[in-house]
Structures are given as C-alpha cells and as structure tokens.
Amino acid sequence: MGITVTRVSKHFNDYTALDDVSIEVPDGSLTALLGPSGSGKSTLLRIIAGLETPDAGSVVIGGQDVTGLPPQEREIGFVFQHYAAFKHMTVRDNVGFGLRIRKRSKAEIRDRVNELLSLVQLDGFSERYPAQLSGGQRQRMALARALAVEPRVLLLDEPFGALDARVREELRDWLRRLHEQVHVTTVLVTHDQEEAMEVASRIVVMNHARVEQVGSPSEIYDNPASDFVMGFVGRVNRLPDAFIRPHEVRLCDPIEPGCETATVERILAFGPETRIDLRLDRNGERLWAHLPAGEAMLHGMEEGSTVGVDLSRARPVAVAVA
C-alpha cells in the first residue's frame, strides 16, 4: 500500500515540528526518513501511524484517507527503538500476541508464528524469554511481532539505535533482505546516513520541519539539492566557500595548472583506504582525502611533506541540483 502525505503541519505549543510537508511513499518500497534530531522525521512517522494528529494536511494509505482514523484501524505495524517486549512471555507468545487479540485459531497462530520465526532466523529460540536474547535478536522478534498481523504498512522508528555498531550493521543487511522477501511498504526513521543509504531504495531528507530532498541514495549523494544535504549526507570537507568530498580531492604535481600545495599532517591507513589529513598552504584550511591503499606510498608522502592537491571538483556553497 502506498502512502501519500499532503501538506501536513504540526505544532507543539510554539514549536513547529512539521511545516507543510508532502511526501509519496510508493507501494512496496523501503523509504527512509533521514535527518538530524529535531528535524521532524519521528513526528511525521507518528502522524502516519495515527499516534499524533496533524494540525493541517492529510494522510492517505492505499487510497484511503486515514487522517482521522485511530491507530488500530490503520492496519499498521510499528517497531520502536525500544522493542517493549512482554517480559513474562516467550518469544513464540510475543510474536503471536497480536493474532490472539484478533481471535485467530490456535492452528493459524501456530503456523504463522512458525513461519515468521523462520523468516527472522529465530526458529531455535521460540521458547526463550526476551531477557535470554541478545539486543539484535530482540529487535528481530519485535519485527516478527509487527509482521504477524500482516500490516498494510510497516513503520520503524530508529529500530537499531540502541544497538552497538557491529550489530546495527548486521541488522541493516538483514532488514534489506527481509524486505525483499515480504515486500510490505516500509518507512524507516533514522539519523544514521549510512543506514539510510545501505537499506532504503528512497530517502526523504528532512531538516527544520521541512523536506529538503527526496530521491534514491545515489541521487541524494551525487546531486544534493542544498548545502544542508551536501553537508549531511556522506563525508565532506567544508571549505569557506565550497564543499568537496574526500574521494574527490586529487593529488597532483604542484607545477600542474590548477594544483596548489598542501602540507601532510597525518596519514592513517585502514583496510582498503588511506586517509590523508592536509593543511592548505595558501590559507591554512584543513581538509582530508581518501586514497586507495598503497597510493599514498606511490606519491612518496609522509607526515610533514608537501604535496599538490587538485580541488577542481569542489562545489560552491549554495549548491544547485545537477
């Protein structure tokens, strides 16, 4: 089911949480709402879920205007950062809870729960309690519980935010593969740009209660619509009058046209890349470059040496859509 949000605004006393926001979430897509804290992304998700009422605007799901409907009538699955499991229930009972509330038969509940536990790779943990699971396993249980009632839409509010980096990385990959199997329209709220870029097919970048840009990960990264998007999505060097991504800094011979000199302050090799911290000789501005492993050695660089850098791929402040 696709989602259409049209001109939604929301205020909390004098604070504007959403200001005339409109977005389209295609049927079957995995769309990320990406932005810093306070940008309005969680408020927008809660309005889609029916947990908040907009001051203006509408929400349509699958062609039905649900703006005035309570959450339980929207057929939505919701997963929060804190999974709120029933501690006294086993994994099996947690996943099947929504089905029991809906008076489904025992056989139907058993079959659906077995199917979902296999889908989220918890079929060997059905009789354990939440306290006996890892953080990642508890979130997979929460996702299975949300999917059990076959929602029209799945909403995820920072679902991996409380987990450590390695577990988040594993769950991002798992969520992407899960979505390919279930194809339920999914909206993911995150402030983690890497998470949005890796998981989502479409990204809605939000800032100060408004939508800055909507597009695929490559569109957002390669053709930022504003200085905010350029600076927020992906690694970037911020110069006084321009932006340049680290991989766009090219080393060159200082006598080449367009080259300028810089001093190497630090060389950090890690995995397939080498990070070079530089200070421009002309004005003391600091920036950094990413080079493939070994290329730094080819240039004969060491800390304190002088190198040439080509910054011709820098984009001026107030970038325009390409």
Side-chain angles (χ1 to χ4, degrees), residues 68-98:
L69 290 182
Q72 61 270 23
E73 295 182 23
R74 298 192 184 198
E75 298 181 65
I76 283 175
F78 207 122
V79 178
F80 298 90
Q81 177 175 335
H82 301 288
Y83 39 84
F86 297 109
K87 298 179 181 180
H88 64 288
M89 292 184 185
T90 64
V91 169
R92 174 177 295 279
D93 290 340
N94 265 282
V95 173
F97 179 78

PDB file of all heavy atoms in Angstrom, residues 68-98:
ATOM      1  N   GLY A  68      -8.177  10.822  10.047  1.00  0.00           N
ATOM      2  CA  GLY A  68      -8.980  10.837  11.267  1.00  0.00           C
ATOM      3  C   GLY A  68      -9.147   9.485  11.925  1.00  0.00           C
ATOM      4  O   GLY A  68      -9.841   9.381  12.946  1.00  0.00           O
ATOM      5  N   LEU A  69      -8.494   8.445  11.378  1.00  0.00           N
ATOM      6  CA  LEU A  69      -8.654   7.112  11.951  1.00  0.00           C
ATOM      7  C   LEU A  69      -7.693   6.881  13.113  1.00  0.00           C
ATOM      8  O   LEU A  69      -6.549   7.328  13.076  1.00  0.00           O
ATOM      9  CB  LEU A  69      -8.401   6.040  10.885  1.00  0.00           C
ATOM     10  CG  LEU A  69      -9.425   5.880   9.762  1.00  0.00           C
ATOM     11  CD1 LEU A  69      -9.020   4.731   8.847  1.00  0.00           C
ATOM     12  CD2 LEU A  69     -10.828   5.648  10.326  1.00  0.00           C
ATOM     13  N   PRO A  70      -8.120   6.136  14.137  1.00  0.00           N
ATOM     14  CA  PRO A  70      -7.198   5.773  15.222  1.00  0.00           C
ATOM     15  C   PRO A  70      -6.184   4.752  14.732  1.00  0.00           C
ATOM     16  O   PRO A  70      -6.383   4.093  13.707  1.00  0.00           O
ATOM     17  CB  PRO A  70      -8.126   5.167  16.283  1.00  0.00           C
ATOM     18  CG  PRO A  70      -9.308   4.674  15.515  1.00  0.00           C
ATOM     19  CD  PRO A  70      -9.489   5.626  14.367  1.00  0.00           C
ATOM     20  N   PRO A  71      -5.078   4.581  15.459  1.00  0.00           N
ATOM     21  CA  PRO A  71      -4.013   3.670  15.015  1.00  0.00           C
ATOM     22  C   PRO A  71      -4.484   2.257  14.726  1.00  0.00           C
ATOM     23  O   PRO A  71      -4.065   1.644  13.741  1.00  0.00           O
ATOM     24  CB  PRO A  71      -3.008   3.704  16.169  1.00  0.00           C
ATOM     25  CG  PRO A  71      -3.262   5.000  16.861  1.00  0.00           C
ATOM     26  CD  PRO A  71      -4.723   5.271  16.715  1.00  0.00           C
ATOM     27  N   GLN A  72      -5.369   1.726  15.568  1.00  0.00           N
ATOM     28  CA  GLN A  72      -5.773   0.326  15.428  1.00  0.00           C
ATOM     29  C   GLN A  72      -6.594   0.065  14.171  1.00  0.00           C
ATOM     30  O   GLN A  72      -6.787  -1.096  13.781  1.00  0.00           O
ATOM     31  CB  GLN A  72      -6.560  -0.131  16.669  1.00  0.00           C
ATOM     32  CG  GLN A  72      -7.842   0.621  16.936  1.00  0.00           C
ATOM     33  CD  GLN A  72      -7.640   1.845  17.822  1.00  0.00           C
ATOM     34  OE1 GLN A  72      -6.541   2.382  17.902  1.00  0.00           O
ATOM     35  NE2 GLN A  72      -8.703   2.247  18.508  1.00  0.00           N
ATOM     36  N   GLU A  73      -7.079   1.110  13.518  1.00  0.00           N
ATOM     37  CA  GLU A  73      -7.859   0.935  12.297  1.00  0.00           C
ATOM     38  C   GLU A  73      -7.038   1.204  11.037  1.00  0.00           C
ATOM     39  O   GLU A  73      -7.587   1.174   9.928  1.00  0.00           O
ATOM     40  CB  GLU A  73      -9.095   1.835  12.325  1.00  0.00           C
ATOM     41  CG  GLU A  73     -10.079   1.479  13.420  1.00  0.00           C
ATOM     42  CD  GLU A  73     -11.317   2.356  13.398  1.00  0.00           C
ATOM     43  OE1 GLU A  73     -11.628   2.928  12.331  1.00  0.00           O
ATOM     44  OE2 GLU A  73     -11.969   2.488  14.452  1.00  0.00           O
ATOM     45  N   ARG A  74      -5.738   1.431  11.185  1.00  0.00           N
ATOM     46  CA  ARG A  74      -4.908   1.751  10.016  1.00  0.00           C
ATOM     47  C   ARG A  74      -4.147   0.548   9.477  1.00  0.00           C
ATOM     48  O   ARG A  74      -3.475   0.649   8.462  1.00  0.00           O
ATOM     49  CB  ARG A  74      -3.918   2.869  10.366  1.00  0.00           C
ATOM     50  CG  ARG A  74      -4.609   4.164  10.760  1.00  0.00           C
ATOM     51  CD  ARG A  74      -3.655   5.323  10.809  1.00  0.00           C
ATOM     52  NE  ARG A  74      -4.322   6.534  11.279  1.00  0.00           N
ATOM     53  CZ  ARG A  74      -3.860   7.765  11.122  1.00  0.00           C
ATOM     54  NH1 ARG A  74      -2.697   7.953  10.509  1.00  0.00           N
ATOM     55  NH2 ARG A  74      -4.534   8.807  11.569  1.00  0.00           N
ATOM     56  N   GLU A  75      -4.210  -0.575  10.163  1.00  0.00           N
ATOM     57  CA  GLU A  75      -3.519  -1.798   9.735  1.00  0.00           C
ATOM     58  C   GLU A  75      -2.023  -1.546   9.534  1.00  0.00           C
ATOM     59  O   GLU A  75      -1.451  -1.823   8.480  1.00  0.00           O
ATOM     60  CB  GLU A  75      -4.142  -2.349   8.453  1.00  0.00           C
ATOM     61  CG  GLU A  75      -5.594  -2.760   8.608  1.00  0.00           C
ATOM     62  CD  GLU A  75      -6.161  -3.314   7.326  1.00  0.00           C
ATOM     63  OE1 GLU A  75      -5.693  -4.384   6.875  1.00  0.00           O
ATOM     64  OE2 GLU A  75      -7.061  -2.676   6.757  1.00  0.00           O
ATOM     65  N   ILE A  76      -1.417  -1.014  10.591  1.00  0.00           N
ATOM     66  CA  ILE A  76       0.000  -0.635  10.559  1.00  0.00           C
ATOM     67  C   ILE A  76       0.767  -1.433  11.598  1.00  0.00           C
ATOM     68  O   ILE A  76       0.301  -1.640  12.729  1.00  0.00           O
ATOM     69  CB  ILE A  76       0.153   0.882  10.826  1.00  0.00           C
ATOM     70  CG1 ILE A  76      -0.211   1.660   9.565  1.00  0.00           C
ATOM     71  CG2 ILE A  76       1.562   1.240  11.285  1.00  0.00           C
ATOM     72  CD1 ILE A  76      -0.209   3.151   9.759  1.00  0.00           C
ATOM     73  N   GLY A  77       1.964  -1.884  11.220  1.00  0.00           N
ATOM     74  CA  GLY A  77       2.894  -2.470  12.170  1.00  0.00           C
ATOM     75  C   GLY A  77       3.924  -1.432  12.563  1.00  0.00           C
ATOM     76  O   GLY A  77       4.447  -0.725  11.706  1.00  0.00           O
ATOM     77  N   PHE A  78       4.207  -1.307  13.862  1.00  0.00           N
ATOM     78  CA  PHE A  78       5.102  -0.258  14.354  1.00  0.00           C
ATOM     79  C   PHE A  78       6.179  -0.900  15.217  1.00  0.00           C
ATOM     80  O   PHE A  78       5.872  -1.662  16.130  1.00  0.00           O
ATOM     81  CB  PHE A  78       4.312   0.751  15.182  1.00  0.00           C
ATOM     82  CG  PHE A  78       4.902   2.138  15.205  1.00  0.00           C
ATOM     83  CD1 PHE A  78       4.164   3.226  14.763  1.00  0.00           C
ATOM     84  CD2 PHE A  78       6.185   2.364  15.675  1.00  0.00           C
ATOM     85  CE1 PHE A  78       4.693   4.504  14.784  1.00  0.00           C
ATOM     86  CE2 PHE A  78       6.722   3.635  15.704  1.00  0.00           C
ATOM     87  CZ  PHE A  78       5.977   4.713  15.255  1.00  0.00           C
ATOM     88  N   VAL A  79       7.447  -0.571  14.927  1.00  0.00           N
ATOM     89  CA  VAL A  79       8.574  -1.066  15.733  1.00  0.00           C
ATOM     90  C   VAL A  79       9.356   0.132  16.237  1.00  0.00           C
ATOM     91  O   VAL A  79       9.832   0.961  15.441  1.00  0.00           O
ATOM     92  CB  VAL A  79       9.497  -1.995  14.924  1.00  0.00           C
ATOM     93  CG1 VAL A  79      10.688  -2.446  15.780  1.00  0.00           C
ATOM     94  CG2 VAL A  79       8.724  -3.209  14.420  1.00  0.00           C
ATOM     95  N   PHE A  80       9.478   0.254  17.539  1.00  0.00           N
ATOM     96  CA  PHE A  80      10.189   1.362  18.160  1.00  0.00           C
ATOM     97  C   PHE A  80      11.646   0.973  18.419  1.00  0.00           C
ATOM     98  O   PHE A  80      12.028  -0.194  18.332  1.00  0.00           O
ATOM     99  CB  PHE A  80       9.540   1.743  19.491  1.00  0.00           C
ATOM    100  CG  PHE A  80       8.118   2.221  19.377  1.00  0.00           C
ATOM    101  CD1 PHE A  80       7.073   1.323  19.461  1.00  0.00           C
ATOM    102  CD2 PHE A  80       7.824   3.571  19.188  1.00  0.00           C
ATOM    103  CE1 PHE A  80       5.752   1.750  19.368  1.00  0.00           C
ATOM    104  CE2 PHE A  80       6.522   4.000  19.095  1.00  0.00           C
ATOM    105  CZ  PHE A  80       5.483   3.093  19.185  1.00  0.00           C
ATOM    106  N   GLN A  81      12.438   1.978  18.800  1.00  0.00           N
ATOM    107  CA  GLN A  81      13.831   1.726  19.180  1.00  0.00           C
ATOM    108  C   GLN A  81      13.879   0.779  20.372  1.00  0.00           C
ATOM    109  O   GLN A  81      14.709  -0.124  20.427  1.00  0.00           O
ATOM    110  CB  GLN A  81      14.529   3.046  19.512  1.00  0.00           C
ATOM    111  CG  GLN A  81      15.965   2.870  19.981  1.00  0.00           C
ATOM    112  CD  GLN A  81      16.665   4.207  20.196  1.00  0.00           C
ATOM    113  OE1 GLN A  81      16.308   5.208  19.611  1.00  0.00           O
ATOM    114  NE2 GLN A  81      17.653   4.214  21.062  1.00  0.00           N
ATOM    115  N   HIS A  82      12.983   0.993  21.325  1.00  0.00           N
ATOM    116  CA  HIS A  82      12.894   0.101  22.486  1.00  0.00           C
ATOM    117  C   HIS A  82      11.698  -0.819  22.241  1.00  0.00           C
ATOM    118  O   HIS A  82      10.550  -0.378  22.232  1.00  0.00           O
ATOM    119  CB  HIS A  82      12.741   0.912  23.768  1.00  0.00           C
ATOM    120  CG  HIS A  82      13.895   1.854  23.994  1.00  0.00           C
ATOM    121  ND1 HIS A  82      15.139   1.411  24.358  1.00  0.00           N
ATOM    122  CD2 HIS A  82      13.994   3.200  23.841  1.00  0.00           C
ATOM    123  CE1 HIS A  82      15.968   2.447  24.454  1.00  0.00           C
ATOM    124  NE2 HIS A  82      15.292   3.534  24.142  1.00  0.00           N
ATOM    125  N   TYR A  83      11.988  -2.068  22.038  1.00  0.00           N
ATOM    126  CA  TYR A  83      11.068  -3.047  21.470  1.00  0.00           C
ATOM    127  C   TYR A  83       9.863  -3.365  22.338  1.00  0.00           C
ATOM    128  O   TYR A  83       8.892  -3.934  21.871  1.00  0.00           O
ATOM    129  CB  TYR A  83      11.829  -4.345  21.168  1.00  0.00           C
ATOM    130  CG  TYR A  83      12.830  -4.663  22.237  1.00  0.00           C
ATOM    131  CD1 TYR A  83      12.475  -5.332  23.391  1.00  0.00           C
ATOM    132  CD2 TYR A  83      14.141  -4.205  22.121  1.00  0.00           C
ATOM    133  CE1 TYR A  83      13.388  -5.576  24.386  1.00  0.00           C
ATOM    134  CE2 TYR A  83      15.069  -4.450  23.113  1.00  0.00           C
ATOM    135  CZ  TYR A  83      14.694  -5.135  24.238  1.00  0.00           C
ATOM    136  OH  TYR A  83      15.605  -5.358  25.224  1.00  0.00           O
ATOM    137  N   ALA A  84       9.887  -2.997  23.633  1.00  0.00           N
ATOM    138  CA  ALA A  84       8.729  -3.154  24.528  1.00  0.00           C
ATOM    139  C   ALA A  84       8.146  -4.567  24.490  1.00  0.00           C
ATOM    140  O   ALA A  84       6.948  -4.757  24.332  1.00  0.00           O
ATOM    141  CB  ALA A  84       7.651  -2.123  24.170  1.00  0.00           C
ATOM    142  N   ALA A  85       9.003  -5.552  24.642  1.00  0.00           N
ATOM    143  CA  ALA A  85       8.529  -6.942  24.658  1.00  0.00           C
ATOM    144  C   ALA A  85       7.820  -7.244  25.981  1.00  0.00           C
ATOM    145  O   ALA A  85       8.069  -6.607  27.005  1.00  0.00           O
ATOM    146  CB  ALA A  85       9.708  -7.893  24.476  1.00  0.00           C
ATOM    147  N   PHE A  86       6.929  -8.220  25.944  1.00  0.00           N
ATOM    148  CA  PHE A  86       6.298  -8.711  27.164  1.00  0.00           C
ATOM    149  C   PHE A  86       7.284  -9.657  27.836  1.00  0.00           C
ATOM    150  O   PHE A  86       7.530 -10.776  27.367  1.00  0.00           O
ATOM    151  CB  PHE A  86       4.989  -9.419  26.838  1.00  0.00           C
ATOM    152  CG  PHE A  86       3.964  -8.523  26.209  1.00  0.00           C
ATOM    153  CD1 PHE A  86       3.628  -8.661  24.871  1.00  0.00           C
ATOM    154  CD2 PHE A  86       3.344  -7.525  26.947  1.00  0.00           C
ATOM    155  CE1 PHE A  86       2.690  -7.843  24.286  1.00  0.00           C
ATOM    156  CE2 PHE A  86       2.405  -6.692  26.370  1.00  0.00           C
ATOM    157  CZ  PHE A  86       2.078  -6.847  25.037  1.00  0.00           C
ATOM    158  N   LYS A  87       7.859  -9.221  28.940  1.00  0.00           N
ATOM    159  CA  LYS A  87       8.957  -9.965  29.559  1.00  0.00           C
ATOM    160  C   LYS A  87       8.548 -11.327  30.082  1.00  0.00           C
ATOM    161  O   LYS A  87       9.372 -12.242  30.171  1.00  0.00           O
ATOM    162  CB  LYS A  87       9.564  -9.130  30.695  1.00  0.00           C
ATOM    163  CG  LYS A  87      10.174  -7.807  30.219  1.00  0.00           C
ATOM    164  CD  LYS A  87      10.731  -7.012  31.381  1.00  0.00           C
ATOM    165  CE  LYS A  87      11.314  -5.687  30.905  1.00  0.00           C
ATOM    166  NZ  LYS A  87      11.862  -4.887  32.026  1.00  0.00           N
ATOM    167  N   HIS A  88       7.275 -11.463  30.456  1.00  0.00           N
ATOM    168  CA  HIS A  88       6.813 -12.731  31.028  1.00  0.00           C
ATOM    169  C   HIS A  88       6.380 -13.726  29.958  1.00  0.00           C
ATOM    170  O   HIS A  88       5.984 -14.847  30.287  1.00  0.00           O
ATOM    171  CB  HIS A  88       5.648 -12.469  31.973  1.00  0.00           C
ATOM    172  CG  HIS A  88       4.437 -11.908  31.294  1.00  0.00           C
ATOM    173  ND1 HIS A  88       4.386 -10.617  30.819  1.00  0.00           N
ATOM    174  CD2 HIS A  88       3.238 -12.477  30.969  1.00  0.00           C
ATOM    175  CE1 HIS A  88       3.208 -10.399  30.259  1.00  0.00           C
ATOM    176  NE2 HIS A  88       2.498 -11.512  30.330  1.00  0.00           N
ATOM    177  N   MET A  89       6.455 -13.334  28.685  1.00  0.00           N
ATOM    178  CA  MET A  89       6.045 -14.209  27.591  1.00  0.00           C
ATOM    179  C   MET A  89       7.265 -14.725  26.838  1.00  0.00           C
ATOM    180  O   MET A  89       8.267 -14.026  26.700  1.00  0.00           O
ATOM    181  CB  MET A  89       5.140 -13.468  26.599  1.00  0.00           C
ATOM    182  CG  MET A  89       3.789 -13.079  27.122  1.00  0.00           C
ATOM    183  SD  MET A  89       2.815 -12.330  25.781  1.00  0.00           S
ATOM    184  CE  MET A  89       1.348 -11.826  26.687  1.00  0.00           C
ATOM    185  N   THR A  90       7.151 -15.921  26.296  1.00  0.00           N
ATOM    186  CA  THR A  90       8.206 -16.455  25.449  1.00  0.00           C
ATOM    187  C   THR A  90       8.227 -15.718  24.116  1.00  0.00           C
ATOM    188  O   THR A  90       7.318 -14.943  23.791  1.00  0.00           O
ATOM    189  CB  THR A  90       7.980 -17.952  25.170  1.00  0.00           C
ATOM    190  OG1 THR A  90       6.759 -18.092  24.424  1.00  0.00           O
ATOM    191  CG2 THR A  90       7.906 -18.744  26.460  1.00  0.00           C
ATOM    192  N   VAL A  91       9.277 -15.983  23.351  1.00  0.00           N
ATOM    193  CA  VAL A  91       9.368 -15.401  22.012  1.00  0.00           C
ATOM    194  C   VAL A  91       8.140 -15.785  21.188  1.00  0.00           C
ATOM    195  O   VAL A  91       7.535 -14.941  20.519  1.00  0.00           O
ATOM    196  CB  VAL A  91      10.664 -15.886  21.316  1.00  0.00           C
ATOM    197  CG1 VAL A  91      10.654 -15.515  19.833  1.00  0.00           C
ATOM    198  CG2 VAL A  91      11.889 -15.308  22.012  1.00  0.00           C
ATOM    199  N   ARG A  92       7.749 -17.048  21.253  1.00  0.00           N
ATOM    200  CA  ARG A  92       6.582 -17.508  20.498  1.00  0.00           C
ATOM    201  C   ARG A  92       5.330 -16.736  20.896  1.00  0.00           C
ATOM    202  O   ARG A  92       4.550 -16.292  20.041  1.00  0.00           O
ATOM    203  CB  ARG A  92       6.373 -19.007  20.724  1.00  0.00           C
ATOM    204  CG  ARG A  92       5.101 -19.553  20.097  1.00  0.00           C
ATOM    205  CD  ARG A  92       4.977 -21.062  20.298  1.00  0.00           C
ATOM    206  NE  ARG A  92       6.042 -21.751  19.593  1.00  0.00           N
ATOM    207  CZ  ARG A  92       6.016 -22.008  18.289  1.00  0.00           C
ATOM    208  NH1 ARG A  92       4.975 -21.618  17.555  1.00  0.00           N
ATOM    209  NH2 ARG A  92       6.999 -22.647  17.713  1.00  0.00           N
ATOM    210  N   ASP A  93       5.136 -16.557  22.185  1.00  0.00           N
ATOM    211  CA  ASP A  93       3.931 -15.865  22.653  1.00  0.00           C
ATOM    212  C   ASP A  93       3.972 -14.376  22.324  1.00  0.00           C
ATOM    213  O   ASP A  93       2.932 -13.771  22.043  1.00  0.00           O
ATOM    214  CB  ASP A  93       3.747 -16.073  24.155  1.00  0.00           C
ATOM    215  CG  ASP A  93       3.353 -17.503  24.499  1.00  0.00           C
ATOM    216  OD1 ASP A  93       2.855 -18.197  23.595  1.00  0.00           O
ATOM    217  OD2 ASP A  93       3.555 -17.922  25.659  1.00  0.00           O
ATOM    218  N   ASN A  94       5.159 -13.774  22.375  1.00  0.00           N
ATOM    219  CA  ASN A  94       5.281 -12.367  21.989  1.00  0.00           C
ATOM    220  C   ASN A  94       4.895 -12.169  20.528  1.00  0.00           C
ATOM    221  O   ASN A  94       4.135 -11.258  20.199  1.00  0.00           O
ATOM    222  CB  ASN A  94       6.712 -11.872  22.219  1.00  0.00           C
ATOM    223  CG  ASN A  94       6.909 -11.188  23.556  1.00  0.00           C
ATOM    224  OD1 ASN A  94       6.544 -10.031  23.738  1.00  0.00           O
ATOM    225  ND2 ASN A  94       7.476 -11.915  24.506  1.00  0.00           N
ATOM    226  N   VAL A  95       5.427 -13.019  19.661  1.00  0.00           N
ATOM    227  CA  VAL A  95       5.160 -12.876  18.225  1.00  0.00           C
ATOM    228  C   VAL A  95       3.686 -13.122  17.926  1.00  0.00           C
ATOM    229  O   VAL A  95       3.085 -12.439  17.088  1.00  0.00           O
ATOM    230  CB  VAL A  95       6.058 -13.829  17.406  1.00  0.00           C
ATOM    231  CG1 VAL A  95       5.672 -13.822  15.932  1.00  0.00           C
ATOM    232  CG2 VAL A  95       7.523 -13.438  17.578  1.00  0.00           C
ATOM    233  N   GLY A  96       3.073 -14.051  18.618  1.00  0.00           N
ATOM    234  CA  GLY A  96       1.676 -14.389  18.348  1.00  0.00           C
ATOM    235  C   GLY A  96       0.660 -13.545  19.077  1.00  0.00           C
ATOM    236  O   GLY A  96      -0.559 -13.735  18.893  1.00  0.00           O
ATOM    237  N   PHE A  97       1.102 -12.577  19.896  1.00  0.00           N
ATOM    238  CA  PHE A  97       0.180 -11.820  20.739  1.00  0.00           C
ATOM    239  C   PHE A  97      -0.908 -11.118  19.926  1.00  0.00           C
ATOM    240  O   PHE A  97      -2.096 -11.197  20.250  1.00  0.00           O
ATOM    241  CB  PHE A  97       0.958 -10.798  21.569  1.00  0.00           C
ATOM    242  CG  PHE A  97       0.094  -9.948  22.452  1.00  0.00           C
ATOM    243  CD1 PHE A  97      -0.409 -10.456  23.640  1.00  0.00           C
ATOM    244  CD2 PHE A  97      -0.228  -8.649  22.094  1.00  0.00           C
ATOM    245  CE1 PHE A  97      -1.213  -9.680  24.463  1.00  0.00           C
ATOM    246  CE2 PHE A  97      -1.025  -7.869  22.905  1.00  0.00           C
ATOM    247  CZ  PHE A  97      -1.524  -8.383  24.090  1.00  0.00           C
ATOM    248  N   GLY A  98      -0.515 -10.424  18.859  1.00  0.00           N
ATOM    249  CA  GLY A  98      -1.500  -9.690  18.068  1.00  0.00           C
ATOM    250  C   GLY A  98      -2.529 -10.604  17.427  1.00  0.00           C
ATOM    251  O   GLY A  98      -3.700 -10.218  17.260  1.00  0.00           O
TER     252      GLY A  98
END
